């Protein structure tokens, strides 16, 4: 018997063993700039990395495979995300991204066939979250991306819009830590999903129109890609919303009463702003938005925290500014005071969404 015949069975066995090993450990490395991936929100994209800044920033991907890992890290502070498989938000996996570059398993044990993945930023814009790549396990393949919705909506807001406190467990004292932010269940995100619209949330906890709890105010950062970099400008030609919702003044309403606060002194000196100054400041910001989006329907909202409590002047300031602007496609919407402690919880955010959805149905022709 020849040597060839002696070794042939062994070579065949080795071949099939190699194929089995290859299939059992198959994987696909995906770069963030791959054209099969789609993004929603203001993000900085290159072939090798993508930076998420604002709450609600989203990656979407269609694929086959049995597991997905993402490699990410955060700067400034930790960020929190949802990983949503096959649009099943009820089973979303919430994960943390900190300063250590790490690979995080966001899905495993997936059945054969096609799947979708959504990576959704839950937390404030005070974290910069960098995605370096994804790894898909099993019989991995990228599929064509789902077309993004034609409708577009954009929100400018504070902690209410960003999602401060939405994930605070019942009975636990609210805090402003990133862990308890959840933009996904804010009135803004709920409204966008109701209309099947793309979304952009330009929101930060503590921000105001005239004064904030920190140096920056919304008129100074609304046109930025990276909110902490004055040279990082957003290209407004990349995203033109049909509807813009502004929900600001909650923080201003507190800070104008605190003459000893450093930001009061920095913005106003020793004297609180007059009613005329407040109305004018709001008008100027709304006009800045109108200049960027000449055709958008703009909703000037307020609430549902104590800036809309009975006797508050702040709804009147907004209504006066809207009247002064005298634009048929600019209206005001005042959310009723929720009259409970802390920031709006999921139920209260849902109530705000219902009111906003109804308002849009009545006033906007998509």
């Amino acid at each position: 018997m020849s040597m060839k015949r002696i070794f042939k069975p062994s070579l065949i066995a080795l071949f099939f063993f190699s194929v089995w090993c290859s299939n059992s450990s198959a994987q696909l490395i995906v770069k963030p700039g791959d054209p099969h991936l789609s993004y929603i929100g203001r993000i900085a994209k290159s072939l090798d990395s993508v930076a998420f800044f604002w709450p609600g920033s989203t990656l979407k991907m269609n694929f086959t495979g049995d597991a997905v890992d993402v490699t990410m890290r955060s700067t400034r502070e930790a960020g929190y995300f949802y990983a949503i498989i096959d649009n099943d938000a009820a089973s979303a996996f919430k994960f943390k991204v900190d300063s250590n570059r790490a690979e995080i398993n966001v899905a495993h044990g997936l059945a054969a066939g096609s799947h979708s993945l959504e990576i959704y930023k839950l937390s404030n814009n005070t974290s910069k979250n960098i995605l370096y790549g994804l790894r898909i396990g099993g019989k991995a393949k990228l599929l064509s991306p789902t077309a993004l919705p034609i409708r577009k909506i954009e929100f400018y807001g504070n902690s209410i819009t960003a999602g401060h406190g939405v994930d605070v467990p019942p009975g636990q004292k609210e805090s402003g830590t990133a862990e308890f932010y959840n933009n996904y269940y804010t009135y803004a995100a709920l409204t966008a999903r109701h209309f099947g619209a793309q979304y952009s949330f330009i929101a930060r906890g503590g921000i105001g129109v005239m004064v904030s709890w920190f140096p920056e105010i919304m008129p100074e950062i609304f046109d930025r890609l990276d909110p902490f970099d004055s040279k990082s400008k957003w290209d407004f030609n990349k995203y033109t919303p049909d509807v813009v919702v502004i929900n600001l003044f909650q923080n201003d309403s507190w800070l104008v009463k605190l003459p000893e606060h450093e930001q009061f002194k920095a913005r106003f000196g020793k004297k609180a702003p007059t009613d005329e100054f407040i109305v004018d400041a709001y008008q100027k910001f709304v006009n800045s938005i109108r200049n960027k989006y000449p055709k958008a329907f703009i909703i000037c909202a307020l609430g549902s925290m104590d800036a809309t409590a009975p006797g508050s002047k702040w709804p009147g300031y907004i209504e006066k500014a809207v009247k002064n602007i005298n634009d048929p496609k600019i209206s005001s919407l005042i959310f009723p005071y929720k009259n409970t402690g802390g920031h709006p919880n999921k139920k209260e955010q849902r109530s705000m969404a219902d009111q906003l959805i109804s308002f849009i149905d009545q006033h906007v022709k998509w």
Side-chain angles (χ1 to χ4, degrees):
M1 184 179 291
S2 70
M3 292 293 290
K4 183 177 180 180
R5 289 186 177 181
I6 292 174
F7 284 103
K8 189 174 182 180
S10 299
L11 290 172
I12 292 173
L14 180 60
F15 170 78
F16 282 111
F17 179 76
S18 299
V19 170
W20 180 85
C21 288
S22 175
N23 287 339
S24 65
S25 60
Q27 62 178 12
L28 177 64
I29 304 300
V30 182
K31 291 186 175 182
D34 191 293
H36 291 86
L37 308 184
S38 57
Y39 295 90
I40 296 177
R42 293 185 186 180
I43 57 97
K45 183 172 69 171
S46 69
L47 180 62
D48 296 320
S49 69
V50 165
F52 299 86
F53 303 101
W54 302 91
S57 299
T58 303
L59 174 155
K60 291 190 174 185
M61 177 180 77
N62 296 326
F63 67 100
T64 63
D66 60 16
V68 181
D69 298 273
V70 296
T71 299
M72 300 182 70
R73 75 177 181 95
S74 290
T75 64
R76 296 197 286 260
E77 70 176 21
Y80 286 81
F81 287 77
Y82 268 163
I84 303 171
I85 297 293
D86 298 336
N87 301 309
D88 183 8
S91 301
F93 171 61
K94 185 176 181 178
F95 64 95
K96 178 182 180 181
V97 179
D98 59 24
S99 60
N100 297 309
R101 176 169 170 164
E103 186 174 68
I104 303 165
N105 177 244
V106 297
H108 60 274
L110 301 178
S114 61
H115 297 282
S116 66
L117 169 68
E118 183 175 351
I119 299 295
Y120 186 106
K121 181 171 179 178
L122 303 173
S123 48
N124 207 10
N125 78 352
T126 44
S127 67
K128 175 182 177 180
N129 320 110
I130 304 169
L131 171 72
Y132 296 100
L134 304 94
R135 182 164 60 91
I136 308 173
K139 295 182 179 180
K141 182 181 179 181
L142 287 176
L143 305 177
S144 298
T146 303
L148 293 177
I150 296 175
R151 290 177 173 178
K152 299 183 180 73
I153 189 167
E154 185 160 80
F155 290 80
Y156 292 86
N158 49 42
S159 54
I160 299 170
T161 304
H164 178 124
V166 172
D167 271 357
V168 173
Q172 183 170 326
K173 186 176 180 180
E174 184 179 276
S175 75
T177 59
E179 178 184 3
F180 298 124
Y181 272 78
N182 191 329
N183 175 266
Y184 193 83
Y185 288 107
T186 61
Y187 76 96
L190 292 168
T191 299
R193 290 198 297 276
H194 172 85
F195 288 109
Q198 288 188 59
Y199 44 82
S200 176
F201 307 121
I202 311 306
R204 180 181 177 184
I207 204 163
V209 175
M210 302 176 297
V211 60
S212 306
W213 296 96
F214 38 78
E216 302 85 7
I217 56 175
M218 184 60 81
E220 295 169 351
I221 73 165
F222 86 101
D223 61 349
R224 296 180 186 178
L225 171 58
D226 182 341
F228 287 87
D229 182 356
S230 61
K231 297 180 180 179
S232 177
K233 296 299 183 181
W234 171 246
D235 181 359
F236 283 88
N237 293 316
K238 290 184 175 181
Y239 185 84
T240 304
D242 304 289
V243 178
V244 174
V245 180
I246 302 168
N247 188 355
L248 294 164
F249 259 177
Q250 173 64 38
N251 294 300
D252 303 75
S253 72
W254 274 82
L255 283 159
V256 297
K257 299 180 291 185
L258 302 176
E260 297 305 314
H261 194 281
E262 61 179 345
Q263 296 307 323
F264 180 105
K265 295 177 181 178
R267 294 290 177 179
F268 311 126
K270 297 181 179 180
K271 189 177 180 180
T274 64
D275 292 351
E276 292 75 17
F277 183 96
I278 295 170
V279 172
D280 184 62
Y282 193 86
Q283 282 180 220
K284 287 178 178 176
F285 178 63
V286 175
N287 284 329
S288 296
I289 300 298
R290 168 56 79 219
N291 289 337
K292 297 297 184 183
Y293 305 129
K295 297 181 180 180
F297 192 99
I298 300 174
I299 301 171
C300 298
L302 183 64
S304 61
M305 295 176 70
D306 59 8
T308 63
S312 171
K313 290 185 175 182
W314 294 88
Y317 294 145
I318 290 176
E319 291 165 347
K320 179 67 180 299
V322 170
K323 183 178 180 180
N324 289 347
I325 295 171
N326 191 27
D327 183 327
K329 295 184 73 174
I330 300 178
S331 295
S332 59
L333 170 63
I334 308 302
F335 295 110
Y337 176 42
K338 67 190 187 71
N339 200 22
T340 57
H343 287 72
N345 57 30
K346 283 186 181 180
K347 182 178 179 180
E348 291 163 340
Q349 291 275 6
R350 176 76 264 179
S351 177
M352 292 173 67
D354 291 342
Q355 295 169 63
L356 179 56
I357 290 165
S358 177
F359 188 90
I360 292 174
D361 281 337
Q362 294 174 37
H363 293 86
V364 177
K365 294 182 179 179
W366 294 90

